[in-house]
Coordinates of all heavy atoms in Angstrom, one line a residue:
M163 N 57.3 78.4 110.7 CA 56.9 77.9 112.0 C 58.0 78.1 113.0 O 59.2 77.9 112.7 CB 56.7 76.4 111.8 CG 56.1 75.7 113.0 SD 56.0 73.9 112.8 CE 57.6 73.4 113.1
A164 N 57.6 78.6 114.1 CA 58.6 78.8 115.2 C 59.1 77.5 115.8 O 58.3 76.6 116.0 CB 58.0 79.8 116.2
L165 N 60.3 77.5 116.2 CA 60.8 76.3 116.9 C 61.4 76.8 118.3 O 61.7 77.9 118.5 CB 62.0 75.7 116.2 CG 61.7 75.0 114.9 CD1 63.0 74.6 114.2 CD2 60.9 73.7 115.2
Y166 N 61.4 75.8 119.2 CA 62.0 76.1 120.5 C 63.5 75.9 120.4 O 63.9 75.0 119.8 CB 61.5 75.2 121.6 CG 60.0 75.4 121.9 CD1 59.1 74.4 121.7 CD2 59.6 76.6 122.5 CE1 57.7 74.6 121.9 CE2 58.3 76.8 122.8 CZ 57.3 75.8 122.5 OH 56.0 76.1 122.8
Y167 N 64.2 76.8 121.0 CA 65.7 76.8 120.9 C 66.3 76.7 122.3 O 65.8 77.3 123.3 CB 66.3 77.9 120.1 CG 66.1 77.8 118.7 CD1 65.0 78.4 118.1 CD2 67.0 77.1 117.9 CE1 64.8 78.3 116.7 CE2 66.8 77.0 116.5 CZ 65.7 77.6 115.9 OH 65.5 77.5 114.6
Y168 N 67.4 76.0 122.4 CA 68.1 75.9 123.7 C 69.6 76.1 123.4 O 70.1 75.9 122.3 CB 68.0 74.4 124.2 CG 66.6 74.0 124.5 CD1 65.8 73.4 123.4 CD2 66.1 74.1 125.7 CE1 64.5 73.0 123.7 CE2 64.8 73.7 126.0 CZ 64.0 73.2 125.0 OH 62.7 72.8 125.2
V169 N 70.3 76.6 124.5 CA 71.8 76.7 124.4 C 72.4 75.8 125.4 O 71.9 75.6 126.5 CB 72.2 78.1 124.5 CG1 71.9 78.7 125.9 CG2 73.7 78.3 124.2
N170 N 73.5 75.2 125.0 CA 74.2 74.3 125.9 C 74.9 75.1 127.0 O 75.6 76.0 126.7 CB 75.3 73.5 125.1 CG 75.8 72.3 125.9 OD1 75.8 72.3 127.1 ND2 76.2 71.3 125.2
K171 N 74.7 74.8 128.3 CA 75.3 75.5 129.3 C 76.8 75.2 129.4 O 77.6 76.0 129.9 CB 74.7 75.2 130.7 CG 73.3 75.7 130.9 CD 72.8 75.3 132.3 CE 71.3 75.7 132.5 NZ 70.9 75.2 133.8
Q172 N 77.2 74.0 129.0 CA 78.6 73.6 129.0 C 79.2 74.1 127.7 O 78.7 73.9 126.6 CB 78.7 72.1 129.1 CG 77.8 71.4 130.1 CD 78.2 71.9 131.5 OE1 79.4 72.1 131.8 NE2 77.2 72.0 132.4
S173 N 80.4 74.8 127.8 CA 81.1 75.2 126.7 C 81.8 74.0 126.0 O 82.3 73.2 126.7 CB 82.1 76.3 127.0 OG 83.0 75.9 127.9
G174 N 81.9 74.0 124.7 CA 82.6 73.0 124.0 C 84.0 73.5 123.7 O 84.5 74.4 124.4
Y175 N 84.7 72.9 122.7 CA 86.0 73.4 122.3 C 85.9 74.8 121.8 O 84.8 75.2 121.4 CB 86.6 72.5 121.3 CG 85.8 72.0 120.2 CD1 85.6 72.8 119.1 CD2 85.1 70.8 120.2 CE1 84.8 72.4 118.0 CE2 84.3 70.4 119.2 CZ 84.2 71.2 118.1 OH 83.4 70.8 117.0
N176 N 86.9 75.6 122.0 CA 86.9 77.0 121.6 C 86.0 77.8 122.4 O 85.6 78.9 122.1 CB 86.6 77.2 120.1 CG 87.7 76.7 119.2 OD1 88.8 76.4 119.6 ND2 87.4 76.5 118.0
D177 N 85.5 77.3 123.6 CA 84.7 78.0 124.5 C 83.3 78.4 123.8 O 82.7 79.3 124.1 CB 85.3 79.3 124.9 CG 85.4 79.4 126.4 OD1 85.1 78.4 127.1 OD2 85.7 80.5 126.9
N178 N 82.9 77.5 122.9 CA 81.6 77.8 122.2 C 80.5 77.1 123.0 O 80.6 76.1 123.6 CB 81.6 77.1 120.8 CG 82.6 77.8 119.9 OD1 82.8 79.0 120.0 ND2 83.2 77.1 119.0
H179 N 79.4 77.8 123.0 CA 78.1 77.3 123.5 C 77.2 77.0 122.4 O 76.8 78.0 121.7 CB 77.5 78.3 124.6 CG 78.3 78.4 125.8 ND1 78.0 77.7 127.0 CD2 79.4 79.1 126.1 CE1 78.9 78.0 127.9 NE2 79.8 78.8 127.4
V180 N 76.8 75.8 122.2 CA 76.1 75.4 120.9 C 74.6 75.6 121.2 O 74.1 75.1 122.2 CB 76.5 74.0 120.5 CG1 75.7 73.6 119.2 CG2 78.0 73.8 120.3
V181 N 74.0 76.2 120.2 CA 72.5 76.4 120.2 C 71.9 75.3 119.4 O 72.3 74.9 118.3 CB 72.2 77.8 119.5 CG1 70.7 77.9 119.4 CG2 72.8 78.9 120.3
H182 N 70.8 74.7 120.0 CA 70.1 73.6 119.3 C 68.6 73.9 119.3 O 68.0 74.6 120.2 CB 70.2 72.3 120.1 CG 71.6 71.8 120.2 ND1 72.1 71.0 119.2 CD2 72.5 71.9 121.2 CE1 73.4 70.7 119.5 NE2 73.6 71.2 120.7
A183 N 67.9 73.4 118.2 CA 66.5 73.4 118.2 C 65.9 72.2 118.9 O 66.6 71.2 119.0 CB 66.1 73.5 116.7
A184 N 64.7 72.3 119.4 CA 64.0 71.2 120.0 C 64.0 70.0 119.1 O 63.7 70.2 117.9 CB 62.6 71.6 120.5
G185 N 64.3 68.8 119.5 CA 64.2 67.6 118.7 C 65.5 67.3 118.1 O 65.6 66.2 117.5
C186 N 66.5 68.1 118.3 CA 67.9 67.8 117.7 C 68.4 66.6 118.5 O 68.4 66.6 119.8 CB 68.8 68.9 117.8 SG 70.5 68.6 117.3
P187 N 69.0 65.6 117.8 CA 69.6 64.5 118.6 C 70.8 64.9 119.4 O 71.2 64.1 120.3 CB 70.1 63.5 117.4 CG 70.0 64.3 116.2 CD 69.1 65.4 116.4
H188 N 71.4 66.0 119.2 CA 72.5 66.5 119.9 C 72.1 67.4 121.1 O 73.0 68.0 121.8 CB 73.5 67.2 119.0 CG 74.0 66.4 117.9 ND1 74.7 65.2 118.1 CD2 73.9 66.5 116.6 CE1 75.0 64.7 116.9 NE2 74.5 65.5 116.0
L189 N 70.9 67.6 121.3 CA 70.4 68.4 122.4 C 70.9 67.9 123.7 O 70.8 66.7 124.0 CB 68.8 68.4 122.4 CG 68.1 69.5 123.1 CD1 68.3 70.9 122.6 CD2 66.6 69.1 123.1
P190 N 71.5 68.8 124.5 CA 72.0 68.4 125.8 C 70.8 68.0 126.8 O 69.7 68.4 126.5 CB 72.7 69.6 126.4 CG 72.8 70.6 125.3 CD 71.8 70.2 124.3
D191 N 71.1 67.2 127.8 CA 70.0 66.9 128.7 C 69.6 68.1 129.5 O 70.2 69.2 129.5 CB 70.4 65.7 129.6 CG 71.6 66.0 130.5 OD1 71.7 67.1 131.0 OD2 72.4 65.1 130.7
M192 N 68.4 67.9 130.2 CA 67.8 69.1 130.9 C 68.7 69.9 131.8 O 68.6 71.1 131.8 CB 66.7 68.5 131.8 CG 65.6 67.8 131.0 SD 64.2 69.0 130.7 CE 63.3 68.8 132.3
D193 N 69.6 69.2 132.5 CA 70.5 70.0 133.4 C 71.5 70.8 132.7 O 72.1 71.8 133.3 CB 71.2 69.0 134.3 CG 70.3 68.3 135.3 OD1 69.2 68.9 135.5 OD2 70.6 67.2 135.8
N194 N 71.8 70.5 131.5 CA 72.9 71.2 130.8 C 72.4 72.1 129.7 O 73.3 72.5 128.9 CB 73.8 70.1 130.2 CG 74.6 69.4 131.2 OD1 75.0 70.0 132.2 ND2 74.8 68.1 131.1
R195 N 71.1 72.4 129.6 CA 70.7 73.3 128.6 C 69.9 74.4 129.2 O 69.2 74.3 130.2 CB 69.9 72.5 127.5 CG 68.5 72.1 128.0 CD 68.0 71.0 127.1 NE 66.6 70.7 127.4 CZ 66.0 69.6 127.0 NH1 66.6 68.7 126.3 NH2 64.7 69.4 127.4
L196 N 69.9 75.5 128.5 CA 69.2 76.7 128.9 C 68.1 77.0 127.8 O 68.5 77.2 126.6 CB 70.2 77.9 129.1 CG 69.6 79.2 129.5 CD1 69.1 79.1 130.9 CD2 70.7 80.3 129.4
F197 N 66.9 77.2 128.2 CA 65.8 77.5 127.2 C 65.9 78.9 126.8 O 65.9 79.8 127.6 CB 64.5 77.2 127.8 CG 63.3 77.4 126.9 CD1 63.2 76.7 125.7 CD2 62.4 78.4 127.3 CE1 62.1 77.0 124.9 CE2 61.3 78.6 126.4 CZ 61.2 77.9 125.2
L198 N 66.0 79.1 125.5 CA 66.1 80.5 125.0 C 64.7 81.1 124.6 O 64.5 82.3 124.7 CB 67.0 80.5 123.7 CG 68.4 80.1 123.9 CD1 69.1 79.9 122.5 CD2 69.2 81.2 124.7
G199 N 63.8 80.3 124.1 CA 62.5 80.8 123.7 C 62.2 80.2 122.3 O 62.9 79.3 121.9
S200 N 61.1 80.6 121.8 CA 60.7 80.1 120.4 C 61.0 81.2 119.4 O 60.7 82.4 119.7 CB 59.3 79.7 120.4 OG 58.4 80.8 120.7
F201 N 61.7 80.8 118.3 CA 62.1 81.8 117.3 C 61.7 81.3 115.9 O 61.7 80.1 115.7 CB 63.6 82.0 117.4 CG 64.1 82.6 118.7 CD1 64.5 81.7 119.7 CD2 64.0 83.9 119.0 CE1 64.9 82.2 121.0 CE2 64.5 84.4 120.2 CZ 64.9 83.5 121.2
Y202 N 61.5 82.2 115.0 CA 61.2 81.8 113.6 C 62.5 81.6 112.8 O 62.4 81.0 111.8 CB 60.4 82.9 112.9 CG 58.9 82.9 113.4 CD1 58.5 83.7 114.4 CD2 58.0 82.0 112.8 CE1 57.2 83.7 114.9 CE2 56.7 82.0 113.2 CZ 56.3 82.8 114.3 OH 55.0 82.8 114.7
H203 N 63.6 82.2 113.3 CA 64.8 82.0 112.6 C 66.0 81.7 113.6 O 66.0 82.3 114.6 CB 65.2 83.2 111.8 CG 66.1 83.0 110.7 ND1 67.5 82.8 110.9 CD2 66.0 82.8 109.4 CE1 68.1 82.5 109.8 NE2 67.2 82.5 108.8
V204 N 66.8 80.8 113.1 CA 67.9 80.4 114.0 C 68.8 81.5 114.4 O 69.3 81.6 115.5 CB 68.7 79.2 113.3 CG1 69.3 79.7 112.0 CG2 69.9 78.8 114.2
N205 N 69.0 82.5 113.4 CA 69.8 83.6 113.8 C 69.3 84.4 115.0 O 70.1 84.9 115.8 CB 69.9 84.6 112.5 CG 70.9 84.0 111.5 OD1 71.4 82.9 111.6 ND2 71.1 84.8 110.5
A206 N 68.0 84.5 115.1 CA 67.4 85.2 116.2 C 67.7 84.4 117.5 O 68.0 85.0 118.6 CB 65.9 85.3 116.0
A207 N 67.7 83.1 117.4 CA 68.0 82.3 118.6 C 69.4 82.4 119.0 O 69.7 82.5 120.2 CB 67.6 80.8 118.3
I208 N 70.3 82.5 118.0 CA 71.7 82.6 118.3 C 72.0 84.0 118.9 O 72.8 84.1 119.9 CB 72.6 82.4 117.1 CG1 72.5 80.9 116.7 CG2 74.1 82.7 117.3 CD1 73.1 80.6 115.3
L209 N 71.3 85.0 118.4 CA 71.5 86.3 119.0 C 71.0 86.4 120.4 O 71.7 87.0 121.3 CB 70.6 87.3 118.2 CG 71.2 88.6 117.8 CD1 72.3 88.5 116.9 CD2 70.1 89.6 117.2
Q210 N 69.9 85.7 120.7 CA 69.5 85.6 122.1 C 70.5 84.8 123.0 O 70.8 85.2 124.1 CB 68.1 84.9 122.2 CG 67.6 84.7 123.6 CD 67.1 86.0 124.2 OE1 67.0 87.0 123.5 NE2 66.8 85.9 125.5
A211 N 71.1 83.8 122.4 CA 72.0 83.0 123.2 C 73.3 83.8 123.5 O 73.9 83.6 124.5 CB 72.4 81.7 122.4
K212 N 73.6 84.7 122.6 CA 74.8 85.5 122.8 C 74.7 86.5 124.0 O 75.6 87.0 124.5 CB 75.1 86.3 121.5 CG 75.8 85.5 120.4 CD 76.2 86.3 119.2 CE 76.6 85.5 118.0 NZ 78.0 85.0 118.2
K213 N 73.4 86.7 124.4 CA 73.2 87.5 125.6 C 73.7 86.8 126.8 O 74.0 87.4 127.8 CB 71.7 87.9 125.7 CG 71.2 88.8 124.6 CD 69.8 89.1 124.8 CE 69.2 90.0 123.6 NZ 67.8 90.1 123.6
Y214 N 73.7 85.5 126.7 CA 74.2 84.7 127.9 C 75.6 84.3 127.7 O 76.4 84.3 128.6 CB 73.3 83.4 128.0 CG 71.9 83.7 128.3 CD1 71.0 83.6 127.2 CD2 71.4 83.9 129.5 CE1 69.6 83.9 127.4 CE2 70.1 84.2 129.8 CZ 69.2 84.2 128.7 OH 67.9 84.4 129.0
Y215 N 76.0 83.9 126.5 CA 77.3 83.4 126.2 C 77.8 84.0 124.9 O 77.2 83.8 123.8 CB 77.3 81.9 126.0 CG 76.7 81.1 127.1 CD1 75.5 80.4 127.0 CD2 77.4 81.0 128.3 CE1 74.9 79.7 128.0 CE2 76.8 80.3 129.4 CZ 75.6 79.7 129.2 OH 75.1 79.0 130.3
A216 N 78.9 84.8 125.0 CA 79.4 85.5 123.8 C 79.8 84.5 122.7 O 79.8 84.9 121.5 CB 80.6 86.4 124.2
G217 N 80.2 83.3 123.1 CA 80.7 82.3 122.1 C 79.6 81.4 121.6 O 79.9 80.3 121.1
A218 N 78.3 81.9 121.6 CA 77.2 81.0 121.2 C 77.3 80.8 119.7 O 77.5 81.8 118.9 CB 75.9 81.7 121.6
I219 N 77.1 79.6 119.2 CA 77.1 79.3 117.8 C 76.0 78.3 117.5 O 75.5 77.6 118.5 CB 78.4 78.7 117.3 CG1 78.8 77.4 118.1 CG2 79.5 79.7 117.3 CD1 79.8 76.5 117.4
G220 N 75.5 78.2 116.3 CA 74.5 77.2 115.9 C 75.0 75.8 115.7 O 76.1 75.7 115.2
C221 N 74.3 74.8 116.1 CA 74.6 73.4 115.9 C 74.6 73.2 114.4 O 73.7 73.6 113.7 CB 73.6 72.6 116.6 SG 73.6 70.8 116.1
E222 N 75.6 72.5 113.9 CA 75.6 72.2 112.4 C 74.5 71.3 112.0 O 74.1 71.3 110.8 CB 76.9 71.6 112.0 CG 78.1 72.6 112.0 CD 79.3 72.1 111.3 OE1 79.2 71.0 110.7 OE2 80.3 72.8 111.3
N223 N 74.0 70.5 112.9 CA 73.0 69.5 112.6 C 71.6 70.1 112.5 O 70.9 69.9 111.5 CB 72.9 68.4 113.6 CG 71.9 67.3 113.3 OD1 72.1 66.6 112.3 ND2 70.9 67.3 114.0
C224 N 71.2 71.0 113.4 CA 69.9 71.5 113.5 C 69.8 73.0 113.2 O 68.7 73.5 113.0 CB 69.2 71.2 114.8 SG 70.0 72.0 116.2
C225 N 70.9 73.7 113.1 CA 70.8 75.1 112.9 C 71.7 75.5 111.7 O 72.7 76.1 111.8 CB 71.3 75.9 114.1 SG 70.4 75.5 115.6
P226 N 71.3 75.1 110.5 CA 72.0 75.5 109.3 C 72.2 77.0 109.2 O 71.2 77.7 109.4 CB 71.2 74.9 108.1 CG 69.8 74.7 108.7 CD 70.0 74.4 110.1
L227 N 73.4 77.4 108.9 CA 73.7 78.8 109.0 C 73.1 79.6 107.8 O 73.1 79.1 106.6 CB 75.2 79.0 109.1 CG 75.7 78.6 110.4 CD1 77.3 78.5 110.4 CD2 75.3 79.5 111.5
N228 N 72.7 80.8 108.0 CA 72.3 81.7 107.0 C 73.5 82.3 106.3 O 74.3 83.0 106.9 CB 71.4 82.8 107.6 CG 70.9 83.7 106.5 OD1 71.3 83.7 105.4 ND2 69.9 84.5 106.9
H229 N 73.7 82.0 105.0 CA 75.0 82.4 104.3 C 75.0 83.9 104.0 O 76.0 84.4 103.6 CB 75.2 81.5 103.1 CG 75.5 80.1 103.4 ND1 76.8 79.8 103.9 CD2 74.8 79.0 103.4 CE1 76.8 78.5 104.2 NE2 75.6 78.0 103.9
S230 N 73.9 84.5 104.2 CA 73.9 86.0 104.0 C 74.6 86.7 105.2 O 74.9 87.9 105.2 CB 72.5 86.5 103.9 OG 71.8 86.4 105.1
D231 N 74.9 85.9 106.3 CA 75.6 86.4 107.4 C 77.1 86.0 107.4 O 77.4 84.9 107.7 CB 75.0 85.9 108.7 CG 75.6 86.5 110.0 OD1 76.7 87.1 109.9 OD2 75.0 86.4 111.0
P232 N 78.0 86.9 106.9 CA 79.4 86.5 106.7 C 80.1 86.0 108.0 O 80.9 85.1 107.9 CB 80.0 87.7 106.1 CG 79.1 88.9 106.4 CD 77.7 88.3 106.5
Q233 N 79.7 86.7 109.1 CA 80.3 86.3 110.3 C 80.0 84.9 110.7 O 80.8 84.1 111.2 CB 79.9 87.3 111.4 CG 80.9 87.3 112.6 CD 80.4 88.1 113.8 OE1 79.3 88.5 113.8 NE2 81.2 88.1 114.8
A234 N 78.7 84.5 110.5 CA 78.3 83.2 110.9 C 79.0 82.1 110.1 O 79.4 81.1 110.6 CB 76.8 83.1 110.8
S235 N 79.1 82.4 108.8 CA 79.8 81.4 107.9 C 81.2 81.2 108.3 O 81.8 80.2 108.2 CB 79.5 81.6 106.4 OG 79.9 83.0 106.1
Q236 N 81.9 82.3 108.7 CA 83.3 82.2 109.1 C 83.4 81.4 110.3 O 84.3 80.5 110.4 CB 83.8 83.6 109.4 CG 84.4 84.4 108.2 CD 84.7 85.8 108.5 OE1 84.8 86.2 109.7 NE2 84.7 86.7 107.5
L237 N 82.5 81.5 111.2 CA 82.5 80.7 112.4 C 82.3 79.2 112.1 O 82.9 78.4 112.6 CB 81.3 81.1 113.4 CG 81.6 82.4 114.2 CD1 80.4 82.8 115.0 CD2 82.7 82.1 115.2
S238 N 81.4 79.0 111.1 CA 81.2 77.6 110.7 C 82.5 77.0 110.1 O 82.8 75.9 110.4 CB 80.1 77.6 109.6 OG 80.0 76.3 109.1
V239 N 83.2 77.7 109.3 CA 84.4 77.3 108.7 C 85.4 77.0 109.8 O 86.1 76.0 109.8 CB 85.0 78.3 107.7 CG1 86.4 77.9 107.2 CG2 84.1 78.3 106.4
A240 N 85.6 77.9 110.7 CA 86.5 77.7 111.8 C 86.2 76.5 112.6 O 87.1 75.7 113.0 CB 86.4 78.9 112.8
L241 N 84.9 76.2 112.8 CA 84.5 75.0 113.5 C 84.9 73.7 112.8 O 85.4 72.8 113.4 CB 83.0 75.1 113.7 CG 82.4 74.1 114.7 CD1 83.0 74.4 116.1 CD2 80.9 74.2 114.8
K242 N 84.7 73.7 111.5 CA 85.0 72.5 110.7 C 86.4 72.2 110.6 O 86.9 71.1 110.4 CB 84.4 72.7 109.3 CG 82.9 72.4 109.2 CD 82.3 72.8 107.8 CE 80.8 72.6 107.8 NZ 80.2 73.5 106.8
H243 N 87.2 73.3 110.7 CA 88.7 73.1 110.6 C 89.4 72.9 111.9 O 90.6 72.7 112.0 CB 89.3 74.3 109.9 CG 89.0 74.3 108.4 ND1 90.0 74.4 107.5 CD2 87.8 74.2 107.8 CE1 89.4 74.4 106.3 NE2 88.1 74.3 106.4
T244 N 88.6 72.8 113.0 CA 89.1 72.5 114.3 C 89.5 71.1 114.4 O 88.6 70.2 114.1 CB 88.1 72.9 115.4 OG1 87.7 74.2 115.3 CG2 88.7 72.7 116.8
P245 N 90.7 70.7 114.7 CA 91.1 69.3 114.8 C 90.3 68.6 115.9 O 90.0 69.3 117.0 CB 92.6 69.3 115.0 CG 92.9 70.7 115.5 CD 91.8 71.6 115.0
P246 N 90.0 67.4 115.8 CA 89.3 66.7 116.9 C 90.2 66.6 118.1 O 91.4 66.5 118.0 CB 89.0 65.3 116.3 CG 90.0 65.1 115.2 CD 90.3 66.5 114.7
S247 N 89.5 66.7 119.3 CA 90.3 66.6 120.5 C 90.8 65.2 120.8 O 90.1 64.2 120.4 CB 89.5 67.1 121.7 OG 88.3 66.4 121.7
R248 N 91.9 65.0 121.4 CA 92.5 63.7 121.6 C 92.3 63.2 123.0 O 92.3 64.0 123.9 CB 93.9 63.7 121.3 CG 94.1 64.1 119.8 CD 95.6 64.1 119.4 NE 95.7 64.6 118.0 CZ 96.8 64.9 117.4 NH1 97.9 64.7 118.0 NH2 96.8 65.4 116.2
Ligands
ZN516 ZN1 71.6 70.5 117.3

């Protein structure tokens, strides 16, 4: 089933722009998100988001990463090891 995906217009830490699926509790409000389209796979949505923001990554809550993509899992590890901002 295809889902609607959005990317956050505001960059987070590390200059990342987080991609969310519709219905995610972390979805930014209307003014701060960009509609990407409907996709069958989160990787396709992230690829589309990268056309707008090179630092686009999937939300850990709604966009579980495909472990067959080594680059994506590296990004996930990097994100988890980022210390919380003070
Ligand atoms: Zn999300």
Side-chain angles (χ1 to χ4, degrees):
M163 189 185 78
L165 289 173
Y166 292 115
Y167 285 93
Y168 300 86
V169 63
N170 195 334
K171 289 182 188 175
Q172 312 296 324
S173 59
Y175 45 85
N176 293 344
D177 236 10
N178 291 328
H179 289 261
V180 182
V181 175
H182 295 279
C186 175
H188 302 299
L189 194 65
D191 62 37
M192 295 264 277
D193 290 338
N194 290 322
R195 71 195 187 199
L196 180 70
F197 179 62
L198 293 171
S200 62
F201 299 94
Y202 285 95
H203 199 284
V204 59
N205 283 5
I208 292 171
L209 222 67
Q210 179 70 12
K212 282 182 191 287
K213 293 177 185 173
Y214 300 98
Y215 305 111
I219 56 162
C221 165
E222 284 197 4
N223 183 69
C224 65
C225 300
L227 290 167
N228 183 345
H229 290 287
S230 69
D231 183 345
Q233 199 190 4
S235 50
Q236 273 169 21
L237 281 172
S238 171
V239 169
L241 193 63
K242 280 172 186 156
H243 286 235
T244 303
S247 54
R248 299 182 185 172

